[in-house]
Amino acid sequence: MRVSCIARVGHLALLTCLVAVAHSALAASPRTDWVPTRLPRMWEEAFPKELAGYDGFAWYRCFVKVPKDWSGQQLKLELGSIDDCDEAYFNGTKVGAVGRMPPDYKGDSGTQRRYKVDSKLVRSGAFNLIAVRVYDRGGSGGFAGGWIGLSAPRGKVDLTGTWQFRTGDDPSWARWPVEPASTEADKLVAKLGRSGAFCSPEIVGGIRPPKTPITLWYDKPATTWFEALPVGNGRLGAMVFGRVGRERIQLNDDALWAGGPKDRHNPKALEALPEVRRLLFEGKNAEATKLAEEGMMGIPCRIESYQVLANLYLEAPPAKQATDYRRELDMAGGVALVEYRIDGRRFTREVFSTAVDQVIAVRQVCDKPGGISLSIGMDRPTEFETKATDAGELILRGSCNAGEGMKFETRLKVLHEGGRLAVDKDRLTIEGADAVTLLVASATSYRHKDPTMVCRKQLAAAVSKGYEALRADHLAEHRAMFGRVKLDLGRSPNPTLPTDRRLAAVAEGADDPQLVAQLFQFGRYLLMGSSRPGCLAANLQGIWCEQMVAPWNSDFHTNINVQMNYWPVEVCNLAECHLPLFDLMDTLVEPGGRTAKLHYGAGGWVVHHLTDVWGFTVPADGVWGVWPVGGAWLCQHPYEHYLFSRDTDFLRKRAYPLMKGGARFMLDFLVEAPQGTPVAGRLVTNPSHSPENSFRTPDGKTSKFTYAATMDVEIIHDLFTNCIRAIDELAASEPGFEAEFRAELASALKRLPPLQVSKRTGALQEWVIDYEEPSPRHRHVSHMFGLFPGCQITPRGTPELACAIRKTLERRGEGGCGWTMAWKACAWARLEEAEPAYASLKMQLAERTLPNLMCTIHRRPLFQIDGSLGATAAVAEMLLQSHAGEIALLPALPKAWPAGSVEGLRARGGLEVDIAWREGLATSVVLRPTVDARHKLRAPKGQQINEVRVAGAPAPIQPNSDGTATVQVAPGKRYKVLLGPWQPKVMPPPKSHQGAFGKEPR
C-alpha cells in the first residue's frame, strides 16, 4: 500500500529554512544584515568573538513549506527554551510571547515555548515565514535548547537547523521580505535551493516488516531525536535518523565533559555539622536548613555537563519521492538500517558502532552503478572547527569551556567505490559512486594526551581491516553477548505494524507481549551500548545526548538513577557491563575520602546525591544534596556482582575494599539520637533526606531536612549486612579476617532504628517521625529500598513490613516518572503481585516510552536511560528471583503472558536458568551452574518440585517444610527440574510460612 508521509502522524514535510546568500562572518556587533546560524544555540556560542556579552534585541527567521493537507488545521509552534524573553510571529502575525519586552522587561528562560497558530494564518501547500524576536539582558541570549518544530494533527516538521539571524530591532522583520504569492517569492525559494536549503521528499512506506521479532522498525524517517535509533559500543554512540534527503547521525563520546577537577570542599562544613545536628534533633528544621545551605554545600555546588560530540550530515540530491521506505534497528546484531527506492534505484545505508575496532561505520550502497552522490559535513553547536583534507578525511576538533577545558577530536575517513571525491574547506562531496563507507573515530583529552594521534591510529587500523571484516567481527562479538538471553512472552496482536504504531495501540489499551519482550531486550541493548569494560559508566542518558548542556547535566545521579542503570546487569547476563560502575567508584574513593574527612570528620569515603567524571563528591545543587548515603548505596553493586559470580578473588581484591570504605564512613557518620527523640539511643544519620521528597512539620511548615530517614536506615542495614557476610566468606580461607571490624559492624547494626509502620496510613513510614506528606504521590519511592533493590523486606521473612510496603505502593499510585514506574514494577514483582507489576510496566510502555523505545521522564519527551533499564530489570524480576536465599521460578507471571519462555537469566550463586511455561504453569526448567553450590528452589504458584535430573539420572533433592526443595549442583552440568501440581500433603508448610498476604504457600 502506498502511503505518503503527509498522510501519517510524525511524517517529514517539505521544509526549507532560509539561509543567508552571503556567508561572510559577522564583522561587528550589532549586526545590520542577516547571517546563518544553526539552532538551537545561544548567539554567544554561535559568534563568540562578535557577540560575547551582547545584551539587547535579536531576530531569528526561517521559511517553512506547510503540507497541503494541513489546510484548515490549527498548528503548534514549539521553540524550546529561549533566553530571556521572546515574541513569535507567523506570516507577520504575533502568535505568542513569553516574558515581557522593554521597557517593562521581565525575563523567563525556563518556560518551554509552545504557541498555537490559527489555521487562518497558514498558507497550506506553500511557504510560510516564522520570525522570533528575542531580548536578553545579562548572560547568554538565544535558543537555549529543546525541540524546535511545527506540528499539526497529521504530522510535524522538525525546524532544528539553519535559520537567519541578526541583531537589532525592526518590526518589519516579522513580515515577508517579498510578496509571498509572487514571482519574487518563487525566485527566492529557487535561490534558497541553490544556497543549500534542504527539503525532504515524500516518503512512501509499504515494505514488509523484518523477520526477526526483536527488530524495531519504522516506515518513515525520524523527525526528532526521540525517534532516531541508537547504536553504541560503550564508548562511541550515534543516533541514526534515517532521513533520505539530508541524513543526520548524531555522535557521542562517553568521555566528552565540560568542566574539570577542582577542590570544592567547604571549609565551614565540619564546624557547621554539630549545630545542624542539634537543630534537627530539636525539630528546628528551617534553621538547620538555612545553616546547611550556608555552611555545608560544595563551593561551587554545581557541576558541568556531559556534551554532544558532533552531528554528521549526509546530503543527497533533491528527490520528489522515496518509495519502499523502511528503517530498523537490529538489536541482536547492533546495526541500524535504512532502505528506500528513488527513481527505480534501491539505496541501503547501515550504521554500527563496533566495540572490537572502536569506530563507527556508515555504509551506503546503491543497486545501480554510480547511483550515490553525497555531500558530507560535521558540526556541533559551538566550540569547534571543521576542516576537510585531500586525503578524504573530515576533522572536527575543539575544546570545552572556551578553549580552557577538555580537548576533543572526531575524524571521519571516506572510502568510495567508483565516482569522484571533491574537497571544499569543511565538506567532502562524492559524485557517482557505487558505494560509500564512512569510518568515524573519536578521542578526548580525558583519556589521551593527543586525541589526534589516537584518531589517526584507530582510523588507519579500521581502513586496513576493511569494511566487511569490521562488520563481520562486530556482528560476531555483539551477537555472542546479546544472545545470552532469549525471551518469548507471546505473539503480538499487531505483528506487521511498525513499532511506533504498536506503541500507539498499547496506549489505547492493547496488550502486546512481544513489544514487552522488545522493551526488555532494548534495555539490555542500551546497557551493552553504554557500559563496556574500559569505558565510563552509563550516565543519565547512557552515552546518547544531543545537547551541550543536558538535562541534569547527564551526570551520575546516585540517589537512584545510576544504580537503576545497573539493576538488570547481573540477572540479564551482562556481568562485564557492571565493571565501569566499579571503575567509577574507584575514582571516587580518593576525593570521597577527602570529603569524608573535611566535611564530616570521618574515615572511609563518601558520595552525595550526584557525581561526574571529575571526582565530584561534595553536597550539590541545594540542601537536598546534603545526603551522604550515595556511596553506601553504590557499595551494593560490587557485592551483587560477587553474589552472582561467587568470584572470591573479585570479592577480596575489589568489592570488599570498596564496601569497607563505604561502611567505615557510615560507622563514623552515625550519631546516637538523644533523649526526647522517637529513637533515643539508636544510631542514626543526621543530617538526612528521603531523596527529593518533603514532609510537613507539626507547625505546618514544609521541610526536606531531617534525621534517620527510612531509606538511610535501609541502605546502611544493607551495607553492614553485606560487609559482615563478605567478611565471613573471606574468613573461611583466612581465619580471623577483619574480626574487629566485623564486631564493630554487628554492634552498629543492632543499634539502627527499626523500620516503622505508620499508624495513620498503615504504610511504611518514610521518615523517623510519622509526618504528613504534602505529596503522597511523589515520584521518588525511596523507602522501598528495603524491598527492592535491597532484601531486608520480603513477603515471607517480614510479612508485616511487606504489607506496609504494599500500602505505600497503593498510596503512591500508578503514575510518575518513567523510572518511577519501573521501580514500582520491580517492587510489585518482589511482592509476587503479578498484575500490579504488569500494570506498571504497561503504563510505562503506554505513557513513558518514546517512539524509539527509549524511556522519557514525563509525557513531554525527555530521555533518561534509567527507566529503560529499570523496565528490563522488572521483567526479569517477574520471571526469576534469587535475593531471599532461594531461587523463585516465575514468581510474578501475569495473565497477559500465558505462554512463553526465557533462556539465560542468571540467579545469585552462579547459576543460569531457562524456563518455559504454558497456561501460566512451568513446563520446563533447566539449571546451568557455573560453580559448585547448594540451591533452594521454589516452584511457581500452583506447582511443586517433584524431581531434579542430571545426565538422565535423578539428582538428590531435599524437600523443605516451606514448600521449597534443595539441590546440590556442579559446574558444567545441566539439571532438569520436573514439576507437578501443588500437593499440600506432600510438603505441608507451617502457617508461619504462608504467602505474603495469606495466599497459597509458595
Side-chain angles (χ1 to χ4, degrees), residues 409 411 443 448-458:
E409 178 171 314
R411 185 176 287 247
H448 308 286
K449 291 183 178 180
D450 188 352
T452 296
M453 182 185 69
V454 174
C455 287
R456 285 175 175 168
K457 185 177 180 180
Q458 290 175 338

Side-chain angles (χ1 to χ4, degrees), residues 493-511:
N494 302 301
T496 62
L497 289 183
T499 302
D500 53 343
R501 282 190 247 166
R502 289 171 63 182
L503 273 171
V506 172
E508 293 296 321
D511 289 306

Side-chain angles (χ1 to χ4, degrees), residues 97 144 247 326 365 503 593 620 689 938:
E247 170 67 301
R326 182 176 75 191
V365 299
L503 273 171
H689 287 90
R938 184 174 292 278

Side-chain angles (χ1 to χ4, degrees), residues 16-21 32-39 58-64 77 79 87-92 128-134 143 148 159 161-166 170-178 188 192:
T16 301
C17 287
L18 185 61
V19 299
V21 176
T32 58
D33 56 349
W34 294 99
V35 293
T37 185
R38 284 191 57 79
L39 297 184
W59 282 73
Y60 297 84
R61 69 181 187 183
C62 73
F63 289 74
V64 186
L77 174 62
L79 301 174
E87 296 173 346
Y89 297 83
F90 199 92
N91 287 329
N128 297 258
L129 169 64
I130 298 172
V132 185
R133 182 189 186 209
V134 178
F143 283 67
I148 305 173
L159 299 181
T162 303
W163 288 47
Q164 277 196 312
F165 168 83
R166 70 188 301 173
D170 186 335
S172 69
W173 297 340
R175 300 189 292 271
W176 274 78
V178 296
L188 176 61
L192 292 172

Side-chain angles (χ1 to χ4, degrees), residues 512-719:
D512 192 333
Q514 191 182 83
L515 193 59
V516 177
Q518 288 183 335
L519 186 71
F520 168 86
Q521 293 287 22
F522 186 64
R524 296 182 68 245
Y525 174 84
L526 291 179
L527 193 55
M528 286 176 57
S530 61
S531 185
R532 292 288 194 101
C535 302
L536 294 178
N539 61 44
L540 277 176
Q541 294 183 245
I543 55 172
W544 297 279
C545 169
E546 68 169 341
Q547 296 112 331
M548 295 291 291
V549 180
W552 294 278
N553 300 302
S554 200
D555 62 24
F556 305 105
H557 247 60
T558 51
N559 66 357
I560 172 59
N561 312 93
V562 74
Q563 290 93 338
M564 183 181 284
N565 288 356
Y566 290 92
W567 284 354
V569 67
E570 298 291 341
V571 66
C572 292
N573 217 330
L574 298 172
E576 64 266 55
C577 295
H578 219 160
L579 300 180
L581 182 63
F582 310 150
D583 294 340
L584 174 65
M585 294 172 67
D586 287 339
T587 68
L588 298 175
V589 169
E590 190 277 329
R594 293 193 68 230
T595 303
K597 180 179 179 180
L598 297 177
H599 277 234
Y600 301 101
W605 64 279
V606 63
V607 177
H608 292 78
H609 89 291
L610 62 81
T611 188
D612 60 12
V613 296
W614 306 115
F616 186 97
T617 55
V618 297
D621 294 347
V623 72
W624 59 90
V626 186
W627 184 74
V629 194
W633 188 349
L634 286 173
C635 288
Q636 184 187 65
H637 286 261
Y639 188 65
E640 284 287 293
H641 186 72
Y642 161 72
L643 288 179
F644 276 89
S645 67
R646 305 301 295 181
D647 183 347
T648 54
D649 193 53
F650 171 83
L651 178 65
R652 178 179 289 104
K653 295 179 179 178
R654 190 144 198 210
Y656 180 72
L658 288 169
M659 296 164 64
K660 182 180 179 181
R664 179 72 272 162
F665 171 77
M666 295 314 311
L667 286 167
D668 293 349
F669 177 69
L670 289 170
V671 62
E672 183 176 307
Q675 293 301 315
T677 61
V679 287
R682 297 282 187 168
L683 294 179
V684 298
T685 54
N686 186 350
S688 172
H689 287 90
S690 189
E692 301 181 30
N693 201 3
S694 302
F695 54 87
R696 187 166 287 120
T697 56
D699 60 4
K701 296 180 180 178
T702 298
S703 178
K704 290 185 173 74
F705 220 22
T706 185
Y707 64 92
T710 298
M711 185 189 216
D712 288 4
V713 177
E714 293 171 323
I715 289 175
I716 294 168
H717 184 282
D718 186 82
L719 175 57

